[in-house]
Amino acid sequence: MIVPDNNVIVNEVEKLIEKYGSGRENLLPVLQDIQRKFGFISDFAMQEIAHKMNIHPVEVYGVVTFYSFLSTEPKGKYIIRLCKTISCDLAGKDAVANTLQRELGLKFGETSSDRKFTLEYCHCIGMCDQGPAMLINEQVYTKLTPSKVIEIIENLK
Amino acid sequence: MPIINDTVFFDERAHGEALEKALKMTPQEVVLEVRESGLRGRGGAGFPTGTKWMLALTAKSDKKFVVCNADEGEPGTFKDRVLLSEYTKLVLEGIVIGGYAIQAQKGFIYLRGEYAYLYEYLNDYLERMRKEKRLGKNILGTNFDFDIEIRLGSGAYVCGEETALIESLEGHRGEARNRPPFPVNTGYLGYPTIVNNVETFACAYIVISKGAQWFSKYGTEKSKGMKLISVSGDCKKPGVYEVPFGIKVKELLELVGAEDTKAVQIGGASGICVPMSEIDRNISFEDIPTGGSVIIFNQNRNMLEVLKNFMEFFVEESCGQCTPCRIGNKKLLEGVELLEEGKCSHKYLNELIELGKTMQIASKCGLGQSSPNPFISIVTNFKDEIMSNSIRGKNGY
Ligand SMILES: Cc1cc2nc3c(=O)[nH]c(=O)nc-3n(C[C@H](O)[C@H](O)[C@H](O)COP(=O)(O)O)c2cc1C
Ligand code: SF4
Ligand code: FES
């Protein structure tokens, strides 16, 4: 993935404001769509959104940095979020975590240099009866085992 | 998707047509029926739903809002996901009934970002409701107009707190507000707003369809009706269970096939840890209240590791707005680490318990007020285990 051209961002922001409206209450949906499309929210994008919504860029920055699913740094095409909360932990999260790190060559919190994968931990994703569980972008994977993880990663590579 | 298994009374709940019925009643009648049922909020705090709706109905305003809290972030809870995906009609039409009851024009579903995979399904369902005249203008041929919009969260547990949720809906950081004023007066964009849990709307549907009397047959004096419980951890049959309020912890353990149990965490990370000596206690607002998370630990589990997992959760999820919660949770987590290393004296442990009690009183919102619960209950109920950990220490001496 390459860093998007500023013109592309200007157009995208304009489109989104048209879709959702320019009121402050529409800030999150706009940010979420930018995040989904570009994999992060650049300084330029934050300024552009602030300008179009008539709020201070610092306000937008404050919102982006509050939410763990929004980021100011580029993320991978596939964001892998492994649940580290207690029920998944009891169900064997550690073995899955090790497998993910080894197969991806990444530590938790890192993004691969080709921007294909980001590996993160997250908190409970509401799959506690079927743990260990993880999300890859918006898809959920449950009852993970090391061999299942290897297969999932192979399919994405 | 897992199905609701081994439910006790779920059949009898078979749903009926509540929306038709509600729209033939006056808004006041709907609210009174809900009030009479004794229904209390299923999100955890247990505020009487009828009272909340009455306050919003009588609030004078040209605009009012309904918010369905589908942020379901409490560790160990997943019953709202099951309701949204498998009992969609009860939830969505429950929201419409709520809208009619308080005379609102618009509803939001605040769906946690982790459940984004449900977005399309729910949106299609709403579209179908519009086609069938169960949503939108002139619902079922009446002059009631109401629509629902789904908004996604973005990965912040505190946004489940109702005022933080409203902040988030308004495009701000999800930081809790001071209460009062309450959302029923000053909610979304300053308008009267009811915020209710997913399960509360499904219950309201049942109350209207089956009647307040039927609903209040189940449960206890102060906790009416059935409750959905999400069970995970060490047991043979984890999943969502429907049980009457008042069920003993012991009975629940039997139901889910838990053996060799050491402790049960009820209410998620912000709940309490119940040791086997107390399993005669029951799940209800009178005894152990819960939004529905039950996590079971067997004899092999290390309770200090369990506690550490919870405290890490709170340190990461605290919004940092107020000091007792921001600093307090860090101190409690450091205390757990000292215990692990065998360096926490009994005196310091008592000081940490006192700190926890201060946090319960002095924190601004429910996160900081309840985050000391697992700390206090685990170190109190498992003191021998935790202090023996400290004598041996990690490296053993
Ligand atoms: C930190 C925190 C997180 C919360 N998360 C949720 C949640 O995910 N879902 C929910 O329904 N209520 C949650 N609540 C409770 C809400 O503030 C509110 O009481 C509830 O939505 C009211 O609905 P009810 O009366 O129908 O339960 C949370 C409270 C706190 C303090
Ligand atoms: S108690 Fe914690 S989460 Fe709530 S407002 Fe204070 S710092 Fe934020
Ligand atoms: S604890 Fe992992 S999904 Fe709930």
Side-chain angles (χ1 to χ4, degrees):
Chain A
M1 217 186 277
I2 33 167
V3 177
D5 183 294
N6 287 350
N7 279 330
V8 177
I9 290 180
V10 171
N11 287 338
E12 189 62 26
V13 169
E14 196 167 294
K15 226 170 70 192
L16 291 173
I17 301 257
E18 203 162 296
K19 177 175 171 194
Y20 294 111
S22 63
R24 170 80 189 238
E25 68 276 15
N26 303 304
L27 180 57
L28 266 163
V30 170
L31 291 172
Q32 286 162 343
D33 281 8
I34 295 281
Q35 174 79 42
R36 201 173 294 130
K37 178 146 185 161
F38 300 109
F40 77 120
I41 304 167
S42 64
D43 288 350
F44 182 82
M46 285 189 269
Q47 278 165 18
E48 185 61 20
I49 292 166
H51 175 67
K52 290 272 164 58
M53 285 196 155
N54 215 356
I55 47 185
H56 200 283
V58 168
E59 284 279 320
V60 179
Y61 178 80
V63 171
V64 173
T65 50
F66 182 85
Y67 295 94
S68 65
F69 283 12
L70 303 178
S71 64
T72 55
E73 298 293 325
K75 291 263 168 104
K77 180 174 171 207
Y78 298 108
I79 304 179
I80 302 175
R81 295 190 170 100
L82 176 66
C83 170
K84 65 168 177 179
T85 308
I86 190 71
S87 301
C88 288
D89 192 43
L90 300 177
K93 167 219 77 182
D94 283 347
V96 172
N98 286 340
T99 311
L100 280 169
Q101 297 194 96
R102 194 186 57 228
E103 294 304 311
L104 293 167
L106 293 174
K107 292 206 176 70
F108 281 88
E110 290 181 349
T111 297
S112 61
S113 51
D114 61 357
R115 280 196 62 194
K116 189 131 191 215
F117 294 102
T118 295
L119 182 60
E120 291 178 353
Y121 277 120
C122 65
H123 294 299
C124 180
I125 55 174
M127 286 289 167
C128 331
D129 58 336
Q130 302 166 64
M134 67 179 181
L135 287 168
I136 300 184
N137 296 343
E138 292 177 0
Q139 191 156 353
V140 68
Y141 296 82
T142 58
K143 298 193 173 168
L144 294 169
T145 57
S147 54
K148 229 168 150 179
V149 168
I150 291 168
E151 199 186 310
I152 293 166
I153 301 299
E154 279 309 313
N155 283 335
L156 295 180
K157 267 184 177 163
Chain B
M1 289 285 148
I3 49 160
I4 299 211
N5 44 10
D6 283 359
T7 53
V8 192
F9 296 105
F10 215 86
D11 292 349
E12 208 182 335
R13 245 174 149 169
H15 311 142
E17 292 298 342
L19 186 57
E20 278 79 355
K21 224 171 140 184
L23 292 184
K24 288 194 187 106
M25 299 158 76
T26 66
Q28 284 80 1
E29 282 167 350
V30 173
V31 172
L32 287 175
E33 191 76 20
V34 172
R35 191 146 90 176
E36 201 178 297
S37 73
L39 172 62
R40 295 173 67 171
R42 298 310 200 228
F47 191 83
T49 307
T51 307
K52 186 183 279 186
W53 290 15
M54 185 59 89
L55 290 167
L57 172 63
T58 50
K60 286 213 169 18
S61 173
D62 57 334
K63 275 191 194 169
K64 292 180 188 175
F65 293 92
V66 177
V67 177
C68 173
N69 189 342
D71 200 45
E72 190 160 58
E74 190 62 53
T77 325
F78 42 95
K79 48 102 186 165
D80 292 344
R81 168 178 58 75
V82 173
L83 278 176
L84 285 165
S85 48
E86 290 173 40
Y87 299 87
T88 319
K89 179 179 166 125
L90 299 194
V91 179
L92 300 191
E93 297 196 2
I95 299 171
V96 180
I97 291 168
Y100 178 71
I102 71 160
Q103 292 291 289
Q105 299 78 26
K106 174 148 191 192
F108 290 102
I109 299 172
Y110 190 90
L111 183 69
R112 66 187 309 220
E114 291 83 345
Y115 290 172
Y117 53 87
L118 290 177
Y119 183 89
E120 217 174 277
Y121 163 73
L122 291 172
N123 236 354
D124 289 349
Y125 202 102
L126 291 174
E127 196 46 44
R128 206 159 62 233
M129 283 170 68
R130 285 183 200 106
K131 286 210 184 89
E132 292 169 2
K133 289 266 162 212
R134 306 178 83 79
L135 193 67
K137 286 225 169 301
N138 302 113
I139 296 179
L140 295 175
T142 65
N143 58 11
F144 175 57
D145 303 339
F146 184 80
D147 215 319
I148 298 177
E149 181 184 336
I150 307 170
R151 285 292 190 88
L152 283 169
S154 264
Y157 165 70
V158 69
C159 284
E161 197 280 334
E162 57 182 15
T163 61
L165 190 158
I166 290 171
E167 285 287 316
S168 180
L169 277 180
E170 292 179 356
H172 295 108
R173 295 161 66 90
E175 290 173 345
R177 296 176 179 171
N178 279 320
R179 299 184 310 168
F182 292 95
V184 284
N185 292 314
T186 313
Y188 179 66
L189 302 177
Y191 295 104
T193 303
I194 54 168
V195 181
N196 280 112
N197 175 253
V198 170
E199 186 185 346
T200 309
F201 284 112
C203 285
Y205 184 104
I206 303 279
V207 165
I208 296 303
S209 136
K210 296 264 177 182
Q213 283 216 328
W214 181 91
F215 185 85
S216 57
K217 274 197 313 211
Y218 303 106
T220 64
E221 178 67 31
K222 291 191 176 126
S223 315
K224 295 296 184 198
M226 304 288 290
K227 179 79 189 91
L228 293 183
I229 305 281
S230 317
V231 180
S232 64
D234 298 316
C235 66
K236 287 211 188 88
K237 296 179 283 177
V240 176
Y241 289 80
E242 186 191 20
V243 298
F245 268 118
I247 188 173
K248 286 185 177 163
V249 178
K250 188 168 70 183
E251 293 165 334
L252 186 63
L253 288 176
E254 270 164 33
L255 196 62
V256 306
E259 286 165 8
D260 200 27
T261 305
K262 183 196 238 174
V264 190
Q265 180 76 17
I266 300 179
S270 49
I272 59 161
C273 190
V274 177
M276 288 310 275
S277 56
E278 292 179 22
I279 57 170
D280 271 329
R281 293 179 64 182
N282 68 77
I283 293 177
S284 65
F285 295 109
E286 294 96 317
D287 190 0
I288 309 175
T290 172
S293 163
V294 168
I295 307 169
I296 301 166
F297 308 110
N298 71 23
Q299 292 291 343
N300 297 322
R301 301 300 181 182
N302 177 336
M303 296 314 288
L304 204 51
E305 272 175 26
V306 169
L307 178 55
K308 188 174 180 185
N309 192 290
F310 289 146
M311 294 324 298
E312 284 172 347
F313 173 76
F314 287 122
V315 167
E316 284 169 30
E317 293 296 341
S318 164
C319 84
Q321 227 193 136
C322 68
T323 319
C325 171
R326 185 182 64 240
I327 308 288
N329 282 309
K330 285 207 186 94
K331 285 279 162 208
L332 295 184
L333 177 58
E334 282 167 24
V336 174
E337 286 161 356
L338 286 179
L339 281 162
E340 270 185 346
E341 293 164 16
K343 289 183 189 156
C344 182
S345 70
H346 192 246
K347 178 159 176 282
Y348 187 59
L349 187 61
N350 281 336
E351 281 171 26
L352 289 174
I353 292 175
E354 286 310 308
L355 169 67
K357 288 180 182 161
T358 308
M359 290 163 65
Q360 287 173 331
I361 300 164
S363 294
K364 183 169 173 181
C365 86
L367 190 150
Q369 287 159 10
S370 56
S371 63
N373 292 348
F375 186 93
I376 294 175
S377 60
I378 289 178
V379 303
T380 312
N381 290 319
F382 297 95
K383 191 168 268 171
D384 279 341
E385 177 183 332
I386 274 158
M387 293 312 278
S388 74
N389 230 11
S390 95
I391 291 163
R392 249 187 287 116
K394 230 183 180 167
N395 308 318
Y397 58 81

